[in-house]
């Protein structure tokens, strides 16, 4: 049993970590914001936390807290600038932010090691920490969704104009959510950096940002289980399909396409759908 | 009805027992050494190197098993594709070590993956031989990490010294890819070698991956009037730089000196005659004149219908080195003993030539200086004497 756990140790860690990151996008998708800033915000958390643990001798918990604070500040600053943009323009601006951070990381050799990356990072992230922090994130989001704030989130998603006409400050509300999403990304970045002993600027680019958006979309944007299911499927699928060698990438693509086409509510909609089938 | 099921079950039981006893007898006569083969066969350009290594290593294992070199030990490669994704490399290493219980691992394809995954093998006491990782300090991760892919810093100083001796180079300009670990690593080594040889460095230019127009950088370099331009670039970029330099009217006397990554048939396809005279260094090239190397090229071509590249050659030697270690250990499960026997190999006669291990477990291959022949589209060995 323990051997089985160790054989799939990293798979479990990645499921937990990516689920947490997916929640950062999940809360934004809840108010119709499609952000690709996750990669850049993660990079800030990751590089700051390894600089603190490796160069400044900080212990893990304060370093993670610093990563969380720094990334939420960055998200606050970025959000104040780009949240006035709508739809595609907002997405493009957040992507530009991720690219800028990546290019800074490539050129700031003394801290980031440039393209060669940083290796020999102490392995401080433990499975129980990931599980505990993920549970905390889920609890907080659950609590928010079941409060008046959650009501307003759903209202903004349904009709933003109506909410602002009713006298609510939608812009400030979105900024608060964007900052919270930055905090999750920064925390995830710090945890990711201390998971596999090595990071390089390429880890926090466009692909990373897209992955964290795909997870909640795949799992289900309206259900708290959605990000966890989506992220876990994205981690486990490549492992489960490894037998198929060259077909693997095609099969992953086909699976995702099928989910988006036939399960508009995401994978969480699957049991409901099959129940309906059984009933009819 | 019940009696029928019973008898069928009985038949199955007996059949199973026979099969089991059969395999038990079989197990007494042959032992199987399980070896993890972690090479990217998907995931962009990494797959090009990964597939070559995978094929070469499987060829080596097939040859060793067919020739009964290890007597009653058979080598079994368990291949896993990491899709050039570091998270997956770690997943694979953990599974191979904990579940499949491999005795050694060959791979992974990318240095970045190695930095994340090799510590797991080091901790578990499983020897790893890399055949395409060229990042500096890779084997410093631990005494279980070996490599047959010789890093740039063992090749480039020899190449530069050759160029200085033969072409009287004094002033050099450098150009490199800023955002790629391979080209950045090559550049660091090149810069160090230039300083150590006391050459005058007139300029350093850089570009980013995906750039196709290098005329701005080349125009600046032309103004600086160097004797040689040193390339820390991938093959496609090197080809574009060579071609554009000719178009910009670079003097024919200016020598271009490339890095490991430029040794590719693609260089000639894309640069044509502009690649004439480029100097590069390598641990191996297809035309290398040794019986072992020629036999390998022929066997590879026969089995796969294509020519092996440098990574295939390095993978092939890694496979034979591991087989030799297992033969000396005469054990298919003791990975620590296998590691010690592997480390004890010196004077190994491989495709890359005769070599052993350095103190840091890097292959001590004699680098070969090559010159591009743009007309016949091949690299030819330079007369180093």
């Amino acid at each position: 049993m323990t051997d089985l756990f160790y054989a799939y140790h990293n798979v479990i860690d990645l499921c937990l970590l990516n689920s947490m990151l997916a929640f950062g996008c999940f809360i934004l998708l809840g108010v119709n914001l499609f952000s690709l800033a996750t990669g850049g915000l993660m990079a800030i958390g990751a590089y700051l936390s390894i600089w603190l643990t490796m160069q400044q001798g900080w212990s893990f918990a304060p370093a993670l807290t610093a990563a969380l604070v720094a990334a939420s500040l960055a998200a606050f600053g970025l959000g104040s600038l780009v949240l006035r943009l709508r739809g595609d323009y907002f997405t493009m601006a957040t992507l530009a932010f991720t690219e800028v951070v990546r290019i800074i990381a490539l050129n700031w050799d003394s801290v980031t090691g440039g393209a060669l990356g940083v290796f020999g990072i102490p392995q401080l992230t433990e499975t129980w920490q990931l599980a505990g922090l993920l549970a905390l994130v889920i609890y907080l989001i659950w609590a928010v969704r079941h409060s008046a704030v959650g009501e307003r989130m759903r209202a903004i998603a349904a009709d933003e104009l109506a909410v602002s006409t009713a006298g609510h400050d939608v812009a400030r509300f979105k900024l608060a959510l964007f900052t919270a999403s930055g905090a999750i990304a920064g925390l995830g970045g710090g945890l990711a950096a201390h998971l596999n002993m090595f990071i390089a600027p390429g880890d926090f680019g466009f692909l990373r940002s897209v992955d964290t958006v795909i997870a909640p979309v795949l799992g289900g944007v309206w259900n708290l289980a959605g990000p966890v299911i989506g992220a876990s499927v994205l981690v486990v699928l490549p492992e489960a399909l490894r037998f198929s060698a060259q077909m693997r990438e095609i099969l992953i693509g086909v699976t995702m396409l099928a989910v988006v086409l036939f399960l508009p509510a995401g994978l969480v909609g699957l049991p409901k759908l099959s129940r309906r089938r059984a009933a009819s | 009805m019940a009696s029928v099921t019973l008898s069928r079950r009985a038949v199955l039981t007996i059949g199973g027992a026979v099969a089991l006893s059969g395999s038990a007898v079989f197990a007494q006569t042959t032992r199987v050494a399980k070896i993890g083969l972690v090479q990217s066969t998907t995931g962009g350009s990494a797959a090009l190197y990964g597939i070559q290594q995978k094929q070469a290593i499987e060829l080596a294992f097939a040859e060793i098993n067919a020739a009964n070199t290890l007597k009653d030990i058979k080598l079994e490669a368990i291949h896993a594709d990491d899709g050039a994704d570091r998270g997956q490399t770690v997943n694979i290493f953990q599974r191979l070590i904990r579940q499949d219980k491999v005795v050694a691992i060959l791979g992974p394809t990318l240095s970045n993956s190695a930095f994340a995954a090799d510590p797991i093998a080091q901790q578990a006491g499983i020897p790893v031989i890399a055949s395409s990782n060229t990042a500096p300090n890779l084997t410093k991760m631990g005494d279980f990490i070996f490599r047959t892919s010789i890093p740039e810093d063992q090749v480039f100083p020899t190449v530069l010294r050759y160029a200085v001796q033969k072409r009287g180079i004094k002033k050099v300009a450098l150009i490199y890819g800023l955002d790629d670990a391979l080209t950045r690593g090559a550049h660091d080594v090149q810069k160090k070698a230039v300083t150590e040889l006391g050459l005058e460095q007139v300029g350093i230019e850089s570009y980013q991956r995906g750039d196709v127009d290098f005329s701005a950088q080349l125009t600046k370099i032309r103004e600086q009037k160097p004797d040689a331009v040193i390339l820390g670039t991938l093959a496609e970029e090197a080809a574009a730089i060579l071609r554009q330099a000719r178009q910009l009217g670079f003097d024919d006397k200016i020598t271009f000196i490339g890095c490991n990554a430029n040794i590719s048939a693609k260089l000639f396809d894309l640069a044509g005659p502009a690649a004439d005279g480029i100097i590069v260094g390598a641990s191996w090239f297809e035309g290398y004149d040794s019986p072992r190397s020629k036999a390998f090229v022929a066997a590879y071509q026969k089995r796969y219908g294509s020519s092996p590249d440098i990574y295939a050659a390095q993978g092939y030697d890694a496979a034979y080195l591991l087989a030799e270690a297992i033969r000396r250990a005469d054990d298919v499960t003791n990975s620590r003993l296998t590691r010690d026997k592997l480390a004890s190999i010196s004077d190994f006669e491989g495709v890359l030539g005769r070599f052993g291990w350095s103190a840091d477990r890097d292959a001590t291959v004699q680098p070969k200086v090559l010159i591009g022949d743009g007309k016949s589209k091949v690299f030819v060995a330079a007369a180093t004497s």
Side-chain angles (χ1 to χ4, degrees):
Chain A
M1 191 61 210
T2 44
D3 247 15
L4 199 67
F5 170 72
Y6 281 114
Y8 294 100
H9 189 188
N10 194 56
V11 179
I12 297 165
D13 286 355
L14 286 179
C15 283
L16 294 169
L17 175 69
N18 290 356
S19 299
M20 187 196 296
L21 288 165
F23 273 105
C25 286
F26 174 80
I27 55 174
L28 294 180
L29 288 168
V31 290
N32 293 337
L33 286 174
F34 186 101
S35 163
L36 291 177
T38 317
L41 295 167
M42 265 185 87
I44 291 173
Y47 281 114
L48 178 65
S49 66
I50 58 163
W51 181 73
L52 289 173
T53 56
M54 291 174 76
Q55 316 254 342
Q56 306 298 313
W58 286 34
S59 56
F60 195 35
L64 272 185
T65 315
L68 184 146
V69 171
S72 30
L73 284 177
F76 181 80
L78 175 69
S80 340
L81 291 173
V82 303
L83 274 168
R84 66 188 76 171
L85 301 173
R86 306 210 155 260
D88 302 349
Y89 299 99
F90 170 77
T91 308
M92 291 306 287
T94 52
L95 173 60
F97 168 76
T98 296
E99 275 298 292
V100 167
V101 173
R102 190 180 70 88
I103 287 166
I104 292 174
L106 274 173
N107 286 283
W108 196 359
D109 278 23
S110 54
V111 174
T112 66
L116 298 178
V118 181
F119 53 91
I121 301 169
Q123 213 162 7
L124 300 171
T125 307
E126 305 269 357
T127 310
W128 67 265
Q129 295 167 344
L130 288 169
L133 289 169
L134 175 63
L136 182 68
V137 167
I138 295 178
Y139 170 74
L140 288 175
I141 294 175
W142 176 84
V144 167
R145 276 162 64 99
H146 285 78
S147 68
V149 180
E151 282 296 317
R152 216 178 301 164
M153 271 175 79
R154 278 185 287 279
I156 289 174
D159 192 342
E160 199 177 315
L161 195 62
V163 178
S164 59
T165 318
H168 293 292
D169 191 345
V170 175
R172 229 174 76 189
F173 187 76
K174 278 186 173 173
L175 185 58
L177 278 181
F178 196 71
T179 309
S181 132
I184 296 176
L187 179 66
L191 290 164
H194 291 85
L195 187 65
N196 281 338
M197 312 184 80
F198 177 85
I199 56 168
D203 300 351
F204 308 109
F206 173 69
L207 280 180
R208 172 61 100 166
S209 302
V210 170
D211 274 353
T212 47
V213 183
I214 291 179
V217 172
L218 187 70
V221 186
W222 302 111
N223 194 305
L224 263 182
V228 179
I229 293 173
S232 305
V233 166
L234 284 176
V235 172
V236 172
L237 208 57
E239 301 299 319
L241 292 175
R242 183 156 286 125
F243 67 90
S244 63
Q246 305 291 334
M247 289 290 288
R248 191 159 67 126
E249 286 176 326
I250 301 171
L251 286 173
I252 294 171
V254 168
T255 312
M256 299 222 269
L257 194 63
V259 169
V260 172
L261 281 179
F262 301 113
L263 295 169
L267 283 172
V268 286
L270 200 58
K272 208 185 275 174
L273 193 76
S274 50
R275 229 178 296 138
R276 210 184 311 145
R277 285 273 161 78
S280 63
Chain B
M1 216 37 215
S3 67
V4 174
T5 348
L6 253 178
S7 71
R8 193 176 285 165
R9 192 177 294 162
V11 168
L12 277 177
T13 317
I14 294 161
V18 170
L20 274 176
S21 63
S23 67
V25 171
F26 186 65
Q28 274 173 0
T29 52
T30 35
R31 290 174 291 168
V32 174
K34 287 199 269 187
I35 293 147
L37 176 49
V38 186
Q39 296 292 352
S40 315
T41 53
T42 60
S45 61
L48 296 176
Y49 317 132
I51 290 169
Q52 286 263 354
Q53 290 173 76
K54 172 177 179 277
Q55 290 182 339
I57 291 166
E58 284 171 351
L59 167 69
F61 282 5
E63 287 173 358
I64 294 162
N65 285 341
N68 274 324
T69 318
L70 308 183
K71 302 208 173 66
D72 63 327
I73 299 176
K74 291 277 172 232
L75 301 175
E76 185 197 333
I78 303 176
H79 172 252
D81 165 34
D82 61 7
D85 166 16
R86 196 162 67 244
Q88 290 189 37
T89 320
V90 174
N91 294 346
I92 292 168
F93 266 57
Q94 286 181 341
R95 205 198 65 213
L96 286 172
I97 293 167
R98 297 284 179 164
Q99 203 173 37
D100 299 322
K101 309 229 184 283
V102 295
V103 69
I105 293 174
L106 297 174
T109 310
L110 297 180
S111 298
N112 284 0
S113 306
F115 279 123
D118 284 0
I120 299 165
Q122 171 70 28
Q123 224 165 21
I126 305 284
V128 176
I129 313 179
S131 45
S132 60
N133 306 157
T134 50
N137 298 323
L138 188 102
T139 49
K140 297 227 169 76
M141 270 187 290
D143 56 350
F144 279 78
I145 316 299
F146 297 76
R147 69 172 153 191
T148 56
S149 41
I150 58 171
E152 200 72 46
D153 59 4
Q154 287 188 35
V155 180
F156 191 75
T158 313
V159 176
L160 191 62
R161 218 171 298 127
Y162 169 85
V164 168
Q165 279 168 6
K166 297 279 169 177
R167 312 254 170 120
I169 286 158
K170 293 190 182 64
K171 292 199 289 183
V172 297
L174 295 95
I175 181 165
Y176 74 104
L178 184 75
D179 56 348
D180 187 296
L182 199 70
T183 53
R184 202 7 244 284
H187 172 71
D188 289 352
V189 169
Q190 293 169 339
K191 216 169 117 180
K192 196 162 152 251
V194 166
T195 321
E196 277 171 3
L197 277 181
L199 302 177
E200 189 191 343
Q201 189 178 292
V202 293
I204 298 180
E205 296 296 322
S206 67
Y207 61 87
Q208 293 218 10
R209 201 183 320 187
D211 286 0
V212 285
D213 180 21
F214 302 94
S215 47
Q217 289 96 329
L218 288 170
T219 310
K220 263 170 103 180
I221 289 177
R222 196 181 50 188
E223 305 295 300
Q224 293 152 347
K225 298 196 175 22
D227 303 320
V229 181
I230 297 173
L231 308 172
T233 63
L234 302 178
E236 296 91 330
E237 297 150 359
I241 289 171
L242 289 167
R243 230 184 25 242
Q244 289 170 21
R246 294 282 180 261
Q247 282 162 4
L248 285 167
F250 267 54
D251 195 325
D252 280 348
K253 287 196 196 81
I254 297 177
T255 309
F256 283 87
I257 307 171
C259 61
N260 233 318
N262 301 151
I263 303 161
S264 156
K266 221 188 267 167
L267 181 79
F268 296 111
D269 291 343
L270 298 173
D276 221 21
I278 182 175
I279 301 178
V280 293
S283 63
W284 183 81
F285 64 109
E286 208 191 318
Y288 180 42
D289 192 19
S290 94
R292 189 99 181 84
S293 171
K294 282 181 172 160
F296 161 65
V297 173
Y300 190 97
Q301 279 171 338
K302 189 167 166 244
R303 190 172 159 125
Y304 300 112
S306 64
S307 290
D309 67 7
I310 183 168
Y311 300 106
Q314 288 168 169
Y316 188 80
D317 272 357
Y320 266 93
L321 276 163
L322 182 59
E324 174 62 16
I326 291 172
R327 190 189 68 79
R328 290 188 187 182
D330 194 26
D331 194 302
V332 294
T333 49
N334 191 337
S335 56
R336 284 173 194 278
L337 184 64
T338 306
R339 182 252 160 228
D340 292 341
K341 296 293 175 193
L342 182 62
S344 75
I345 297 174
S346 58
D347 238 18
F348 172 77
E349 182 68 46
V351 167
L352 308 179
R354 185 172 280 276
F355 65 94
W357 302 113
S358 73
D360 277 335
R361 295 163 308 283
D362 276 325
T364 51
V365 176
Q366 181 62 39
K368 291 121 191 131
V369 178
L370 310 175
I371 297 177
D373 181 342
K375 281 177 212 77
S376 36
K377 296 194 167 190
V378 284
F379 284 108
V380 289
T384 38
S385 54

